[in-house]
Structure formats: structure tokens, C-alpha cells
Amino acid sequence: MPFRRWWTSVSGEKKKTGNTMTSAIILKHGRIAGWRGASLPSSPIAPKLQRLQLPVDGSVKVKVAHVSNATRLWVSLLQHSPLCRGGVPVPSHDASTIMKLSLDLADYYAFPDHRQLHEDPSEGTYCGYHDIEGGYYRVRVLKFSQPLGLYFHHKEQARVRLIDVGCVQVVDVNQLLTLPEHFLQIPAQVIETFICGVRPCDEDVDWPEEAVYISQNLLQSKVLYGKVALSCGQTLWLDPVEHRVTLEGT
């Protein structure tokens, strides 16, 4: 099924949508004409986590680490070219950093005394996460699921985002560990990124599951090139975005 069936581009003119929320930023003459939802969809960052330095203009080369839907990606920065000549490019992500971070987490939690369950995690808390395969990750708690019944106040499972990968998982609360302060001095290794000018054809808030599946197959692990349309908080908006293919023998 063609991918284009599920999306439509947003023109330079702001369209009348009534109470319907658009799914992408509408840019007109370099200014924001409207955006999805009532507020910018950047994820709040806890003060203790070291912030990433993001490009504010120019063009970028990124690699897709995780695809949330057809417009929302989590990427690592490979290269930044400033808009103005003589501008200072933002440092790119070093693949060795996340590898060293993974090894340091494994070394730290290898000691049983260090594997302390987080006593009272709350939404927005940064924790260590021990998955069933034995790996350790840095995660941010998004929300909790609370079982019904007598102990309705008990937090049983948590929805967390792996801040160095971008994906979301539902985990048992007893898999959340106390994360030492020095691990918060390392910024998240992926950037929340939106592709401008794309939205579902029905102008709904959410993308159809099949569109998300196709987007993941098309974009996962791909290297993309784009121009920075907006940089706000810890989130980038790119317009336009392209994937380049080099033909053999050229």
C-alpha cells in the first residue's frame, strides 16, 4: 500500500480547521502559523539532566534511532552546517559515547549494592532500568498504571522512555533503579525531531497504525538531511527533509 495515501502536505497558507488540531507546524514566511495541539510538543527535561546543545539554523545530517510516527522521530546528530558563513557548528553525537555509557552502566550495576530499587519514582524521574535480557539503560518515567482494587494507590507498572534510544516501554516498577548523579551529567543521546508539512489525510490527531508501521519500515536507521525550521527546548523541526540514495558507479 503506497505510503502517500496516509499523509498530505501542509501548504504555506494557514487553513481553517475549526477545533481540529493540525499534526504539523505550518510555516509561512519563516514564522509559525500554527502547530499541533495547544502547546509545543517537546518533552519536558528535568533540571538535573544535562541539556543537549541543538542547532538553531542551517542544515543537519541525522540518523534515525526510533520512529514514533510519520512525523515524530528520535535521531542522533551526525553533522551540522550553520546558516551563516563562519558560524560554529554544533558538535555531533559520537557513537563511542553511547557505547561507553552502556558499558559504564553495566559496570556500575554489576555490584549488587548498587542495584537499589528506586524508592518512590514519579513522573519525570530519571532512573536506571534493568531489562529482562540483562541490559541497563537510562530512562525517564512518563506515567504509571495503577491496578484497580483495594490497593489502587500502588504503582505496579510504569511507561518509560529510553532517553538514549527514544523508544517507549512499559516496565514493572521493580525494574527501576536509583540512577547516580554522575550519569545525569551526560545529555540524552537522541533528539526529538518533527518533520514539518506532513499530517494525516483525515486531519486526525493520531496517525493510523498502518501508517506508523510503514513509516518505521521506511525511516528506521536511515540517514536523513534537513534544514532547521525551528529549534525549541530539546526539540528540532526540519523542513524540508530528504533521504539521499547514491547509485552504484556514480
Side-chain angles (χ1 to χ4, degrees):
M1 183 176 295
F3 176 61
R4 63 183 300 174
R5 171 181 175 180
W6 295 107
W7 61 270
T8 179
S9 62
V10 181
S11 65
E13 295 295 330
K14 183 178 180 181
K15 297 183 179 181
K16 183 178 180 181
T17 58
N19 294 326
T20 302
M21 293 186 292
T22 58
S23 299
I25 293 179
I26 303 173
L27 297 177
K28 182 178 181 182
H29 307 306
R31 297 183 179 181
I32 304 175
W35 58 81
R36 178 177 181 172
S39 60
L40 295 177
S42 59
S43 299
I45 303 295
K48 291 185 178 180
L49 182 68
Q50 183 69 33
R51 295 173 66 86
L52 278 169
Q53 182 183 0
L54 299 187
V56 296
D57 59 23
S59 58
V60 294
K61 176 183 178 182
V62 300
K63 184 174 182 179
V64 179
H66 176 69
V67 180
S68 293
N69 56 45
T71 58
R72 189 185 187 192
L73 315 174
W74 300 83
V75 306
S76 57
L77 179 65
L78 301 180
Q79 183 179 344
H80 170 228
S81 301
L83 181 63
C84 300
R85 181 178 299 178
V88 179
V90 171
S92 60
H93 288 150
D94 189 349
S96 63
T97 300
I98 190 169
M99 185 178 300
K100 183 178 183 303
L101 177 60
S102 299
L103 293 175
D104 288 346
L105 286 168
D107 288 343
Y108 177 81
Y109 288 120
F111 295 91
D113 291 344
H114 292 170
R115 294 195 296 270
Q116 299 179 6
L117 295 182
H118 202 294
E119 294 181 356
D120 187 25
S122 58
E123 294 183 7
T125 300
Y126 290 93
C127 307
Y129 163 53
H130 185 203
D131 69 3
I132 59 176
E133 297 180 355
Y136 292 93
Y137 302 90
R138 299 188 302 168
V139 301
R140 180 176 180 271
V141 178
L142 302 179
K143 66 181 299 184
F144 293 96
S145 60
Q146 298 175 328
L148 299 177
L150 180 61
Y151 301 102
F152 65 91
H153 60 281
H154 176 63
K155 299 172 181 176
E156 189 172 80
Q157 290 187 317
R159 185 177 176 87
V160 302
R161 185 177 301 281
L162 281 63
I163 63 173
D164 300 308
V165 181
C167 63
V168 173
Q169 294 186 12
V170 177
V171 305
D172 292 335
V173 172
N174 59 14
Q175 292 176 279
L176 299 180
L177 308 174
T178 300
L179 188 66
E181 186 75 22
H182 66 272
F183 282 119
L184 295 175
Q185 302 306 313
I186 305 171
Q189 295 301 296
V190 290
I191 304 171
E192 182 184 29
T193 303
F194 287 85
I195 300 176
C196 297
V198 182
R199 66 185 179 192
C201 287
D202 58 5
E203 298 187 1
D204 196 357
V205 175
D206 299 317
W207 286 89
E209 291 186 7
E210 190 168 357
V212 174
Y213 174 77
I214 295 174
S215 301
Q216 291 171 341
N217 287 337
L218 289 176
L219 299 174
Q220 183 66 43
S221 301
K222 292 294 193 300
V223 174
L224 305 177
Y225 299 79
K227 291 185 178 180
V228 178
L230 179 67
S231 177
C232 182
Q234 295 289 274
T235 305
L236 285 179
W237 284 263
L238 303 180
D239 185 22
V241 178
E242 62 184 28
H243 171 57
R244 300 173 184 175
V245 178
T246 302
L247 299 178
E248 294 183 3
T250 60

